[in-house]
Amino acid sequence: MKLGFVGLGNMGLPMAKSLLSAGHEVAVWNRTPARGEPLVKQGARVVASPAEAAKGAEVVFSMLADDSAAEAVALGPQGIITGLSKGAVHVSSSTISVALSQRLTDAHASADQGYVAAPVFGRPEAAESKQLWVVAAGTKADVERCRPLLEALGRGLTVLGEQASMANVVKLSGNFLIASMLESLAEAFAFTRKSGIEPKQFLELFQAVFARSPIFERYAQAIAEEKYSPAGFAMRLGLKDVGLVLEAARTAEVPMPLASLVRDQYLGGVAQGHGDLDWSALGALVAERAGLPKAR
Amino acid sequence: MKLGFVGLGNMGLPMAKSLLSAGHEVAVWNRTPARGEPLVKQGARVVASPAEAAKGAEVVFSMLADDSAAEAVALGPQGIITGLSKGAVHVSSSTISVALSQRLTDAHASADQGYVAAPVFGRPEAAESKQLWVVAAGTKADVERCRPLLEALGRGLTVLGEQASMANVVKLSGNFLIASMLESLAEAFAFTRKSGIEPKQFLELFQAVFARSPIFERYAQAIAEEKYSPAGFAMRLGLKDVGLVLEAARTAEVPMPLASLVRDQYLGGVAQGHGDLDWSALGALVAERAGLPKAR
Amino acid sequence: MKLGFVGLGNMGLPMAKSLLSAGHEVAVWNRTPARGEPLVKQGARVVASPAEAAKGAEVVFSMLADDSAAEAVALGPQGIITGLSKGAVHVSSSTISVALSQRLTDAHASADQGYVAAPVFGRPEAAESKQLWVVAAGTKADVERCRPLLEALGRGLTVLGEQASMANVVKLSGNFLIASMLESLAEAFAFTRKSGIEPKQFLELFQAVFARSPIFERYAQAIAEEKYSPAGFAMRLGLKDVGLVLEAARTAEVPMPLASLVRDQYLGGVAQGHGDLDWSALGALVAERAGLPKAR
Amino acid sequence: MKLGFVGLGNMGLPMAKSLLSAGHEVAVWNRTPARGEPLVKQGARVVASPAEAAKGAEVVFSMLADDSAAEAVALGPQGIITGLSKGAVHVSSSTISVALSQRLTDAHASADQGYVAAPVFGRPEAAESKQLWVVAAGTKADVERCRPLLEALGRGLTVLGEQASMANVVKLSGNFLIASMLESLAEAFAFTRKSGIEPKQFLELFQAVFARSPIFERYAQAIAEEKYSPAGFAMRLGLKDVGLVLEAARTAEVPMPLASLVRDQYLGGVAQGHGDLDWSALGALVAERAGLPKAR
């Protein structure tokens, strides 16, 4: 296929490589053009603007660092939208706001162009070794047209539906899950260290008990299915244990704001009469506060 | 060996079974004695008090629901301490407070008895199938003496050191990690659901990207080793992405207090000049606030 | 003076009245023109657009509900900027974002017009009885020119400096202080009620001890001057007392997330060695996390 | 009256003075006896134990720094309980836990002695100038007997009911309100400072608008009476304004965790359909989460 690729940063460069090595013809653009040179020997053509990268392409990818860069290359003067043919598709892999993704959807639709949001999970090394996981959304025709390209980028692809920005919601949720885990690890290591346990020891245990276990998967399923009863471990007990954490951390002088937050959630759940549900019923408490309908 | 087992709840019962099936002689006690009957055909002897379960035993286990029950069976009238021989060991597997574990250490030491804290990771099903992971701490002699028993309970054993209550710190930290993950999953599912994504779809993605990936393991290692530079993904970008989550969740009307907490941590990190460290440097921010010495 | 007034909502209407009753000539505009009729008998002239309200005026006020309305009447087609004479001043009293206030500053400057941000503290009743407190910022010349008008609106005026958006920062901070107090009152009433105390009784005590006392004023001064030593009440004791609150609220089953947050702040302060500073040294902890230079 | 006074710290010393200057006969005890000497010339008698201070007294006061000190002087060997006559009353003014206050109630009742909890609001200076506000609870007979003494300590007295520990709940709630206000002031000053506003300027405004205004009183009343409608300022607008604070603080790089918490509360309220209630309806949200019955 004839493709364009806009944005050759740590992620974009290896992604463009993957498309080249899958045999496609790729016109590349980057703010600093030198970034594209290593791709020339693989057959890439370095062009002078996003518009030019889009010109004549069936599909043009973009992979930028933030909203303002992504908006500029798409909608700015000499932007993708000005060069892309009617019927061709812009695939945006940047981690951008849901609001901007919606604006891009609308702008391309007005220009009779297609738009697919296709953010990726994985680091530059994963991009290099085609181990990314791609999450895509857009109209069925557009997504199907891009499917072989998206599959060439990584080890898997999840297609979400017709509203492109849904893919951004999911990507952002994934990064939120990681950031939360980082905070909880940060607090757990500070607590154990200050209580006199070597980080290396706690790490070994973490690897043995958590890292490869299906714990998180099982709980994610419980929350997805809103199945909180019968309790495997009751919210009442969760409240007790997180309370014990805070008590010991108080003694060790370790502030654990995430532990406090979780304790307050459990305390609210118990106060409202849900103490006998499984402790994963945090899912129900959070959903209720979001105004979601109750679990069936 | 001649053993005692006190507390035959959902966890205690299968644990006692494991010890019986490993060929030991076990005297069992439970508040409601009927719970012990299924064990009789495996050779267990049902006795009338914790003290009696301890009498003549080399090692007596206890597995109770909370501090007050654990304290009563250990130190109360007719408690383990009154029946246990000098030199024999009390292994406490209950999830109890660090403070109570220290009191039990002292009380048994005063009575010339040994004390090992050995809480377990795993649900009743894991206990049933000997898949628990045991974390033990106590004096070297006591722990070594109990080692074959602890190994008979599960699939692995981590020994932590001479101060028994360290094992309770680690067990509580583990439960804290799970509870935190539950809260973050709860918020992520509420956010994606309210944005129009089927929980089943998000679950599939979670399973593909997170559940079996080494993501958490790698980050736990970074925090354990306090290695936050060079950044794989900079704190500045973490701040941006969690900010985008909150922005979209604002629009969808989903309160995400954990996301807010994490955002504020990142914002503080960036404000204090750490924006270019890896986003796992939450580890450094939390440790600093706990008064821990800076990373080397 | 010849004035314009744009936006006759619950706040705008009585503010326009105050200007009329101070003897000024006022052209008024509102989305639904009927709102302006009561002002006609006081001499107001109802006009057809924000631009027309600005036409020929020395000063035009605007008072709208949010950013999008405030931006539309100022910069939209038929907006204030299109009607205002060179050298005349737009006074924006709306509670808007700092960013929009900066954009308005720039836009009016480009058009050789003046811009003063002058948000107000007080409810409609206070506007009616000229009891508002006005916070104004803008170039000295512009503010001085508007001073008699701003003084006619309320009981007091604070002038902040040449950067207009500073007034918006202060207005937003004031609303934040009120919202925080609401949350703390909400938690205190829930805690006392659930502990068995009549809200009426707690209210009486609050009125006697807090409402008319100089407590908050003294503490605000300590934080403003960064004077945390010698301690009147040490952070260590603050930690103890908030800990006791959480303990009792745990028993009463009342989640108090704000109390948890404050406890974690104090715990961090104590862990970092500041336990003997006054408990108002939260000021220092928060400032440090914001990357502000340490107190002298 | 014949009185005892146990604990002559920064608060206890001036309180004992007030009782002496009201003409009572007072036996005083302090861990370091030298603290009592200045009182001797006012007629105080320094004794060797809490028990001795209680001996022969109609009422004995205690004022200690924390639970462990308060428990030791009351219930320890040579404690108040061992010296106090049947029918005499122990007035505890210490800021102690609700749980300890209940234990003291029970212990004194078992010994046929009375117990009144009477913590005080005010600093040492207020104690010195008899400006404390006293909150008392206990059986009617006991409180009435002590009334003249309690009134001699300060400028006002609130009597709460027959359950002594209620007074402790109220005292702790008061300290919680102050600590919350400190956190919100800390965040507001950090935000304004980092935005370029002199702390002195913001302080002046705070003094003008908040410190002497009836704002908090009015809102406390709304929450006490659960009157959230019609809205003076709607929750929807509160959400908007706190959102604008966070947005500007994001730009200025100031983490404001309390602002985040309040924003999430408002967002939950709006998501659950309460956006048109007054923003003081945080009272309803918090109460609901505590399992309290809905407002009538």
Side-chain angles (χ1 to χ4, degrees):
Chain A
M1 268 198 235
K2 245 187 127 234
L3 307 177
F5 203 107
V6 170
L8 300 170
N10 293 338
M11 291 298 296
L13 191 70
M15 288 168 70
K17 264 188 213 163
S18 295
L19 294 170
L20 283 162
S21 72
H24 301 287
E25 199 176 312
V26 190
V28 301
W29 178 86
N30 195 63
R31 209 175 33 174
T32 50
R35 291 277 304 173
E37 271 155 39
L39 299 177
V40 171
K41 49 182 167 258
Q42 279 189 267
R45 187 165 45 95
V46 176
V47 297
S49 71
E52 225 177 293
K55 204 158 290 168
E58 289 176 69
V59 177
V60 61
F61 282 77
S62 65
M63 185 57 164
L64 284 305
D66 57 27
D67 269 36
S68 68
E71 184 159 17
V73 303
L75 307 182
Q78 292 295 308
I80 289 169
I81 201 170
T82 67
L84 201 62
S85 310
K86 285 191 184 192
V89 181
H90 174 195
V91 174
S92 166
S93 289
S94 312
T95 301
I96 53 171
S97 68
V98 175
L100 175 56
S101 198
Q102 281 161 344
R103 280 207 304 282
L104 291 175
T105 304
D106 296 345
H108 285 295
S110 302
D112 287 325
Q113 300 161 351
Y115 174 71
V116 169
V120 300
F121 285 98
R123 292 253 180 126
E125 311 87 76
E128 204 72 54
S129 55
K130 301 188 192 174
Q131 288 299 305
L132 298 176
W133 192 282
V134 183
V135 184
T139 66
K140 203 157 184 179
D142 288 340
V143 171
E144 284 315 308
R145 191 165 170 194
C146 300
R147 182 181 285 272
L149 305 171
L150 298 171
E151 287 174 347
L153 293 174
R155 67 184 168 96
L157 169 67
T158 299
V159 175
L160 280 173
E162 305 255 327
Q163 198 182 333
S165 64
M166 291 299 97
N168 303 93
V169 167
V170 162
K171 167 63 185 171
L172 291 174
S173 299
N175 278 13
F176 160 65
L177 285 176
I178 297 174
S180 303
M181 193 42 164
L182 292 176
E183 173 72 17
S184 62
L185 285 170
E187 295 185 12
F189 273 99
F191 171 47
T192 51
R193 258 173 85 193
K194 212 167 169 189
S195 301
I197 294 158
E198 277 295 303
K200 227 185 109 174
Q201 284 185 302
F202 189 65
L203 175 61
E204 281 167 20
L205 188 95
F206 179 82
Q207 288 168 333
V209 176
F210 290 96
R212 295 181 188 290
S213 90
I215 290 182
F216 296 138
E217 195 167 348
R218 189 180 53 199
Y219 282 124
Q221 192 167 357
I223 291 173
E225 298 174 354
E226 299 176 82
K227 193 172 175 318
Y228 306 124
S229 169
F233 187 69
M235 196 179 280
R236 198 176 296 288
L237 294 173
L239 172 59
K240 183 205 75 167
D241 282 3
V242 181
L244 293 177
V245 170
L246 286 170
E247 192 183 301
R250 165 69 185 84
T251 305
E253 292 184 353
V254 181
M256 298 178 71
L258 177 45
S260 295
L261 186 155
V262 170
R263 193 200 77 118
D264 287 328
Q265 297 280 66
Y266 280 135
L267 186 53
V270 167
Q272 292 177 286
H274 308 311
D276 293 327
L277 294 182
D278 190 74
W279 65 337
S280 55
L282 286 174
L285 300 179
V286 170
E288 192 190 337
R289 218 155 293 163
L292 282 161
K294 294 225 170 172
R296 304 119 237 187
Chain B
M1 271 200 234
K2 246 188 125 231
L3 307 176
F5 204 107
V6 170
L8 300 170
N10 292 338
M11 291 299 295
L13 191 70
M15 287 169 71
K17 263 189 214 162
S18 295
L19 294 169
L20 282 163
S21 72
H24 301 287
E25 200 176 312
V26 189
V28 301
W29 178 84
N30 196 62
R31 209 174 34 173
T32 49
R35 291 277 304 171
E37 271 155 40
L39 300 176
V40 171
K41 48 183 166 258
Q42 280 189 267
R45 187 164 47 93
V46 177
V47 297
S49 72
E52 223 176 296
K55 205 157 288 167
E58 288 175 69
V59 178
V60 60
F61 283 78
S62 65
M63 186 57 164
L64 284 305
D66 57 27
D67 268 35
S68 69
E71 185 160 15
V73 303
L75 308 182
Q78 291 295 308
I80 289 169
I81 201 170
T82 68
L84 200 61
S85 309
K86 284 190 184 190
V89 181
H90 173 196
V91 175
S92 166
S93 289
S94 312
T95 300
I96 54 171
S97 70
V98 175
L100 176 56
S101 197
Q102 282 162 343
R103 281 208 303 283
L104 291 175
T105 305
D106 296 344
H108 285 296
S110 301
D112 287 325
Q113 300 162 351
Y115 173 72
V116 169
V120 300
F121 284 98
R123 291 252 181 126
E125 311 85 76
E128 203 74 53
S129 55
K130 300 189 193 172
Q131 288 299 307
L132 297 175
W133 192 282
V134 183
V135 184
T139 67
K140 203 157 184 175
D142 288 340
V143 171
E144 285 316 309
R145 192 164 169 194
C146 301
R147 183 181 284 273
L149 304 172
L150 298 171
E151 287 174 347
L153 293 174
R155 67 183 168 98
L157 168 67
T158 298
V159 175
L160 280 173
E162 305 254 327
Q163 199 182 332
S165 64
M166 292 299 96
N168 303 94
V169 167
V170 163
K171 168 62 186 172
L172 291 174
S173 299
N175 278 12
F176 160 66
L177 285 176
I178 298 174
S180 303
M181 194 43 165
L182 293 176
E183 173 72 17
S184 61
L185 286 170
E187 295 185 12
F189 273 99
F191 171 47
T192 51
R193 258 174 84 192
K194 212 168 168 189
S195 300
I197 293 158
E198 276 295 303
K200 225 184 112 177
Q201 285 184 301
F202 188 65
L203 175 61
E204 280 167 21
L205 187 95
F206 178 82
Q207 288 168 333
V209 176
F210 290 96
R212 294 180 191 290
S213 90
I215 290 181
F216 295 139
E217 194 167 348
R218 189 182 52 200
Y219 282 125
Q221 193 168 353
I223 290 173
E225 298 174 354
E226 299 176 82
K227 198 174 170 317
Y228 305 123
S229 168
F233 188 70
M235 196 179 279
R236 198 176 297 287
L237 294 173
L239 172 59
K240 183 205 75 168
D241 283 2
V242 182
L244 293 177
V245 170
L246 287 170
E247 194 183 302
R250 165 69 185 84
T251 306
E253 292 185 352
V254 181
M256 297 179 72
L258 178 45
S260 295
L261 186 156
V262 170
R263 194 201 77 120
D264 286 328
Q265 297 280 66
Y266 280 134
L267 186 53
V270 167
Q272 293 177 288
H274 308 311
D276 292 327
L277 294 182
D278 191 74
W279 66 336
S280 56
L282 285 175
L285 301 180
V286 170
E288 192 190 338
R289 219 155 292 164
L292 282 162
K294 294 225 169 169
R296 304 121 238 182
Chain C
M1 269 197 236
K2 247 188 124 227
L3 308 177
F5 204 107
V6 170
L8 300 170
N10 293 336
M11 291 298 295
L13 191 68
M15 287 167 71
K17 263 189 216 164
S18 296
L19 294 170
L20 283 162
S21 72
H24 301 287
E25 200 176 313
V26 190
V28 301
W29 177 86
N30 196 64
R31 210 175 33 176
T32 51
R35 291 278 302 171
E37 273 157 38
L39 299 177
V40 171
K41 49 182 163 249
Q42 282 190 266
R45 189 165 46 97
V46 177
V47 296
S49 71
E52 223 177 298
K55 205 159 289 167
E58 289 174 69
V59 178
V60 60
F61 284 77
S62 65
M63 185 58 164
L64 285 305
D66 57 28
D67 268 36
S68 68
E71 186 159 15
V73 303
L75 308 181
Q78 291 296 305
I80 288 169
I81 200 169
T82 67
L84 201 60
S85 311
K86 284 190 185 190
V89 183
H90 174 195
V91 175
S92 166
S93 289
S94 312
T95 301
I96 54 172
S97 70
V98 175
L100 175 55
S101 197
Q102 281 162 343
R103 281 208 303 283
L104 292 175
T105 304
D106 296 345
H108 284 296
S110 301
D112 287 325
Q113 300 162 351
Y115 172 72
V116 170
V120 299
F121 286 98
R123 293 248 179 132
E125 309 86 79
E128 203 73 56
S129 54
K130 301 190 192 172
Q131 289 298 306
L132 298 175
W133 192 281
V134 183
V135 184
T139 64
K140 203 157 180 176
D142 288 341
V143 171
E144 285 314 309
R145 192 165 167 191
C146 302
R147 182 182 284 272
L149 304 172
L150 298 171
E151 286 175 347
L153 293 173
R155 67 184 167 98
L157 167 68
T158 298
V159 175
L160 280 171
E162 304 254 327
Q163 199 182 332
S165 63
M166 291 300 96
N168 303 95
V169 167
V170 162
K171 167 63 185 171
L172 291 173
S173 299
N175 278 12
F176 160 65
L177 285 176
I178 297 174
S180 302
M181 193 43 164
L182 292 176
E183 173 71 18
S184 62
L185 286 170
E187 295 185 14
F189 273 99
F191 171 46
T192 51
R193 256 174 85 191
K194 211 167 169 191
S195 301
I197 293 159
E198 277 295 304
K200 223 184 113 177
Q201 284 185 301
F202 189 64
L203 175 61
E204 280 167 19
L205 189 93
F206 178 82
Q207 289 168 330
V209 177
F210 290 97
R212 295 180 188 289
S213 91
I215 291 181
F216 295 140
E217 194 169 347
R218 189 180 52 201
Y219 282 125
Q221 192 169 356
I223 291 173
E225 299 174 354
E226 299 176 83
K227 192 168 175 321
Y228 305 124
S229 170
F233 187 69
M235 197 180 277
R236 198 177 297 288
L237 294 173
L239 172 58
K240 185 206 76 169
D241 282 2
V242 181
L244 293 177
V245 169
L246 287 169
E247 193 184 303
R250 165 71 185 82
T251 306
E253 292 184 354
V254 181
M256 298 178 70
L258 177 46
S260 294
L261 186 155
V262 170
R263 194 201 77 119
D264 287 327
Q265 297 281 64
Y266 280 134
L267 186 53
V270 167
Q272 292 177 290
H274 308 312
D276 293 327
L277 294 182
D278 191 74
W279 66 336
S280 55
L282 286 174
L285 301 179
V286 170
E288 192 189 338
R289 220 155 291 164
L292 282 164
K294 295 226 170 170
R296 306 120 237 188
Chain D
M1 268 198 235
K2 244 184 129 237
L3 308 177
F5 204 106
V6 170
L8 300 171
N10 293 336
M11 291 300 294
L13 191 69
M15 287 168 71
K17 262 188 215 164
S18 296
L19 294 170
L20 282 163
S21 71
H24 301 286
E25 201 177 314
V26 190
V28 301
W29 177 85
N30 196 62
R31 210 175 33 176
T32 49
R35 291 278 303 173
E37 272 156 39
L39 300 177
V40 171
K41 49 183 165 251
Q42 280 189 269
R45 190 165 44 96
V46 177
V47 297
S49 71
E52 224 177 295
K55 206 158 289 164
E58 288 174 69
V59 178
V60 61
F61 283 78
S62 65
M63 185 58 163
L64 285 304
D66 57 27
D67 269 36
S68 68
E71 184 160 17
V73 303
L75 308 181
Q78 291 296 306
I80 289 168
I81 200 169
T82 66
L84 201 62
S85 310
K86 285 191 184 187
V89 182
H90 174 195
V91 174
S92 166
S93 289
S94 313
T95 301
I96 54 172
S97 70
V98 175
L100 175 56
S101 197
Q102 281 163 344
R103 282 208 303 285
L104 291 176
T105 305
D106 296 345
H108 285 296
S110 302
D112 287 326
Q113 299 162 351
Y115 173 72
V116 169
V120 299
F121 285 97
R123 292 248 180 131
E125 310 86 78
E128 203 73 53
S129 53
K130 299 189 193 173
Q131 288 298 307
L132 299 175
W133 192 281
V134 183
V135 183
T139 65
K140 202 156 182 177
D142 288 340
V143 171
E144 285 313 310
R145 191 164 167 194
C146 301
R147 183 182 282 272
L149 305 172
L150 298 171
E151 286 174 347
L153 293 174
R155 67 183 167 98
L157 168 67
T158 299
V159 175
L160 281 171
E162 304 255 327
Q163 200 182 331
S165 63
M166 291 300 96
N168 303 94
V169 166
V170 163
K171 167 64 185 170
L172 292 173
S173 299
N175 278 12
F176 159 66
L177 286 176
I178 297 174
S180 303
M181 193 42 164
L182 292 176
E183 174 71 18
S184 62
L185 285 170
E187 295 186 12
F189 273 99
F191 171 47
T192 51
R193 257 174 85 192
K194 214 168 167 190
S195 301
I197 293 158
E198 277 295 303
K200 225 183 111 176
Q201 284 184 301
F202 189 64
L203 175 61
E204 280 167 19
L205 189 94
F206 178 82
Q207 289 168 333
V209 176
F210 291 96
R212 295 180 188 289
S213 90
I215 291 181
F216 295 140
E217 194 168 348
R218 189 180 53 200
Y219 281 125
Q221 192 169 354
I223 292 174
E225 298 174 355
E226 299 177 82
K227 192 169 176 320
Y228 305 123
S229 171
F233 188 69
M235 197 180 277
R236 197 176 297 288
L237 293 174
L239 172 58
K240 184 206 75 169
D241 283 2
V242 182
L244 293 177
V245 170
L246 287 168
E247 194 183 304
R250 165 71 185 80
T251 306
E253 292 184 353
V254 181
M256 298 179 70
L258 177 46
S260 295
L261 187 155
V262 170
R263 194 202 76 121
D264 288 328
Q265 298 280 66
Y266 280 133
L267 186 53
V270 167
Q272 291 178 288
H274 308 312
D276 293 326
L277 294 182
D278 190 74
W279 66 335
S280 57
L282 286 175
L285 301 179
V286 170
E288 191 189 339
R289 219 156 290 164
L292 282 163
K294 295 228 170 169
R296 304 122 240 180

